[in-house]
Amino acid sequence: MSEKRLPVVEYLKIPDDGEPYLEGHKCGNCSAIFLGARSVCSKCGARDQMSTTRLSNKGKLYSYSIVHRSFPGIEVPYISAIVDLEDGVAIKGNLVDTEPDPTKIKFDMPVDVVFADALGRKDRDGNSYLSFFFKPSSKS
Ligand SMILES: [Zn+2]
């Protein structure tokens, strides 16, 4: 029996078979992509043209901050980052596998979206949460 994994955010989708992914909403008129459901495109104003789309797992670092103080139980320091995905969507999350040292973190560096347990959090039924993180792209 396998435990169910719950997404930490609504736009993280966990298919029954296959890899988790981030979901965006794409405008059928102008192709702009947004996080979160909406009925009107905030770029071109088209109404009811939105459909869901699977977001890229690749992007580049747009901005970050190193967090030294957080809630009890959260390991610090960690790197809170904003990443521009290849689809043009900006998304916030934690950058992992990187030293929290500004001299080691480069703006525009390529990152991959990875999925992992959310810090051991569980709900009352013992289900664990799945979250997403950014990590520096392995050069290949
Ligand atoms: Zn649009």
Side-chain angles (χ1 to χ4, degrees), residues 26-32 34 40-46 49-50:
K26 184 174 186 175
C27 173
N29 187 49
C30 73
S31 297
F34 306 93
V40 177
C41 175
S42 51
K43 187 166 181 204
C44 73
Q49 300 274 323
M50 292 291 171

Side-chain angles (χ1 to χ4, degrees), residues 76-92:
V76 290
Y78 66 87
I79 307 164
S80 174
I82 297 171
V83 164
D84 279 329
L85 296 180
E86 283 179 346
D87 319 278
V89 179
I91 188 165
K92 190 165 182 276

Side-chain angles (χ1 to χ4, degrees), residues 8-67:
V8 286
V9 287
E10 160 272 324
Y11 51 85
L12 197 174
K13 301 296 175 189
I14 308 173
D16 285 335
D17 48 351
E19 293 295 303
Y21 64 94
L22 299 176
E23 184 182 77
H25 294 263
K26 184 174 186 175
C27 173
N29 187 49
C30 73
S31 297
I33 300 178
F34 306 93
L35 276 184
R38 63 192 66 204
S39 59
V40 177
C41 175
S42 51
K43 187 166 181 204
C44 73
R47 183 173 287 274
D48 299 327
Q49 300 274 323
M50 292 291 171
S51 59
T52 57
T53 183
R54 192 173 171 136
L55 294 177
S56 172
N57 278 348
K58 293 198 173 295
K60 56 186 186 177
L61 184 65
Y62 173 72
S63 174
Y64 71 90
S65 59
I66 297 173
V67 179

Side-chain angles (χ1 to χ4, degrees), residues 71-124:
F71 299 100
I74 308 272
E75 203 175 314
V76 290
Y78 66 87
I79 307 164
S80 174
I82 297 171
V83 164
D84 279 329
L85 296 180
E86 283 179 346
D87 319 278
V89 179
I91 188 165
K92 190 165 182 276
N94 290 352
L95 179 65
V96 298
D97 283 358
T98 306
E99 270 185 68
D101 174 349
T103 65
K104 306 243 161 93
I105 306 169
K106 304 262 185 286
F107 290 112
D108 285 341
M109 71 180 192
V111 297
D112 295 332
V113 179
V114 295
F115 299 92
D117 269 6
L119 307 166
R121 277 170 56 194
K122 286 187 192 290
D123 76 357
R124 281 178 304 183

